[in-house]
Amino acid sequence: MTVQRQSSVEKPVVDEKEQSSVDIKDTGSAQGELQSPALSYKPGSPSKPKLPYSWQLVMIVLTCLCTFGNHWSNGLIVALKTTIIKETHINNSQFATLVAVTNLVNTFLCIGLGFYIDKFGGALMSVILAGFHLSGAIVMSGGATNNLNSYPLLIVGKVLAAIGDGSLDNAQHRIFSTYFAPGRGFAFSIGAIWCVANLAQFTGQSTANVIATNLGTYAWALWISSFIAGFSFACAITVFFLDRYLRARYNVTDQTSGRRHTGAVKQGAFNIRAIKHLPMTFWLVVAFAVFENAGVQSFVSISTQFAQQRLKKGAVIGGWVSSFYLLLPAGLTPFLGIYVDVFGNRIGFLFLSGLTFLISMLLLKFSHSVPTFVAAYVFYALSQAVTPAPQVEIVRNIIPDPQYFATGFAIKKSVVQASIVIITTAAGKLQDLSPTDSLDPAVTLWLVYAFVSVAISGFMLIMSYAAPNVLPAARLSQVSPRELPDEVEKLARKQGIVVRKPAPEEEDDGVTELKLKEKMLKSPIHQSGILSWGYLLIGLAVIFIGWIMFGMGVNWGVHGSVVAGTVGE
């Protein structure tokens, strides 16, 4: 879009919403939207009051609770590993299949579900996905009740739960991306999600064996998880009807499009060609997540056993020590979200998360003293704290059209799930090859992952300052919302970008020259999308390798220690 500008005078003052929002009206999708007659806004209808902050807070609380049951159950199976193997009479390879099924199912399922989250909205999909998790939790609980101890039922339940677990957080993010703009509460809302998620996982993981021991069977730990999943399902239903109520009563702006939030459903089917519109910065973030995010998540799977080996303590002490890494992120993530909303620095946080992960692995690899071990787990907790909010926020911030945020996030998550399977299966094989069953050789893998993640994030950070024209999306994600308009104008002048003056009806929908320039800056330079297709093929190769590694792991009979759907995504 390099047509002559009709007005040479730039508006001196940009509306506050326009400063903080990077969303562009997609006229193509607007024509393909089907609006519900009961909920649509008709021309000439009485003006509605602005959405109060109190209702926004209620939406944050209820949306965060939608995945409380999901995260509560994350560490249950691994925490109950010894008991489940004993009661169901299975081996390590069968247990590996049980705990890895979530990652495997979501290597491909996340992408399709991401499209439907964008199509139907996060509220409706949260109900559907939370329902799948609840059904899976009930089936697993039933499979362990009355000494049934059915391994096939546990597998069926895990698959059902996996359908919901893998994309439920994506639906949450989509809800918040609708109600909150970048720099105006979106990062804080993401931080709040992971605060609740960490607390839920900590409680579920640390109490699983206590419940099983005191109540006589591990089935009670699974049933309690099912009851909590039912509570989360009820919260998802409440969010769905609350969303309808707020749209009907208040003037709610959809922050992904700049238009009124009417509950519109996008027409059309999944189109893989949309991949070509994703910029290079997005694929660099995906590459970073493949190593840092997957490395941080998968290390959770060995944290308890590693603590036992280093501290020479039992499973209970090891479980409590390894679970405490969740408390620091729970306390910090909301405040980090506020910082990102106010100051930006998203690439800087990616680099910080990779760096703290690297320091943690270096300490674990080259020192065996207890104080060093404690320090390593503190740095690991810091890497967990600074991973979620900036990664989710930056995906929304760097793609040209935020209406496809869920699709972009799903692509990233699918590749990360495969990477988790790869590193955990390889680590399990290295542990099995150790004559003392030591995890020390496996730490080398996490150390390599950490080095690569620091290299990728360091490259993006340097380029965002040294050569902002090469990765303009990275540069714009680094600046604060109040500096964004000036930075967009500066980069647009350097690249010779000239846009048309929006039509009056477009201005009514929030489209400005500034937003058009920003969209062009974030769009790929080569519209043919050749590079994007190449990056996609690499991502598919990672997924394919993940499936191969899983099959090899089953053949090897490696330790089943993958934690699926772990905090961080």
Side-chain angles (χ1 to χ4, degrees), residues 20-21 51 75 82 127 129 201 253 289 318 329 368 399 450 478 527 533:
S20 59
S21 174
L51 180 66
T82 303
V127 176
L129 295 171
Q201 186 173 341
T253 300
H368 290 74
I399 58 178
Q478 187 69 1
Q527 294 300 323
W533 287 112

Side-chain angles (χ1 to χ4, degrees), residues 317-380:
I317 297 297
W320 278 102
V321 171
S322 64
S323 296
F324 270 106
Y325 80 90
L326 294 165
L327 294 181
L328 183 60
L332 281 182
T333 47
F335 298 101
L336 290 174
I338 294 174
Y339 183 91
V340 171
D341 275 329
V342 176
F343 299 105
N345 291 312
R346 298 167 182 86
I347 301 293
F349 273 109
L350 295 188
F351 179 74
L352 181 61
S353 63
L355 184 62
T356 50
F357 180 41
L358 175 60
I359 294 174
S360 173
M361 295 301 105
L362 286 171
L363 292 174
L364 291 178
K365 179 65 178 177
F366 297 107
S367 178
H368 290 74
S369 65
V370 173
T372 305
F373 169 81
V374 173
Y377 267 49
V378 170
F379 276 104
Y380 175 68

Side-chain angles (χ1 to χ4, degrees), residues 234-363:
C235 289
I237 294 176
T238 305
V239 167
F240 174 73
F241 286 104
L242 177 62
D243 178 64
R244 293 170 63 94
Y245 169 78
L246 295 179
R247 285 188 272 117
R249 183 164 183 176
Y250 296 100
N251 183 2
V252 181
T253 300
D254 184 346
Q255 299 297 336
T256 64
S257 65
R259 307 184 190 92
R260 281 183 174 181
H261 178 35
T262 61
V265 176
K266 283 192 289 188
Q267 293 278 14
F270 178 74
N271 187 357
I272 195 67
R273 293 183 180 180
I275 300 296
K276 70 180 183 179
H277 299 297
L278 297 174
M280 181 182 293
T281 303
F282 170 81
W283 296 106
L284 286 173
V285 171
V286 172
F288 169 81
V290 164
F291 293 96
E292 194 276 341
N293 211 341
V296 169
Q297 287 187 52
S298 57
F299 185 76
V300 175
S301 64
I302 69 164
S303 58
T304 297
Q305 191 175 8
F306 198 82
Q308 291 177 244
Q309 292 183 1
R310 286 292 176 91
L311 299 177
K312 295 180 173 57
K313 300 292 183 180
V316 176
I317 297 297
W320 278 102
V321 171
S322 64
S323 296
F324 270 106
Y325 80 90
L326 294 165
L327 294 181
L328 183 60
L332 281 182
T333 47
F335 298 101
L336 290 174
I338 294 174
Y339 183 91
V340 171
D341 275 329
V342 176
F343 299 105
N345 291 312
R346 298 167 182 86
I347 301 293
F349 273 109
L350 295 188
F351 179 74
L352 181 61
S353 63
L355 184 62
T356 50
F357 180 41
L358 175 60
I359 294 174
S360 173
M361 295 301 105
L362 286 171
L363 292 174

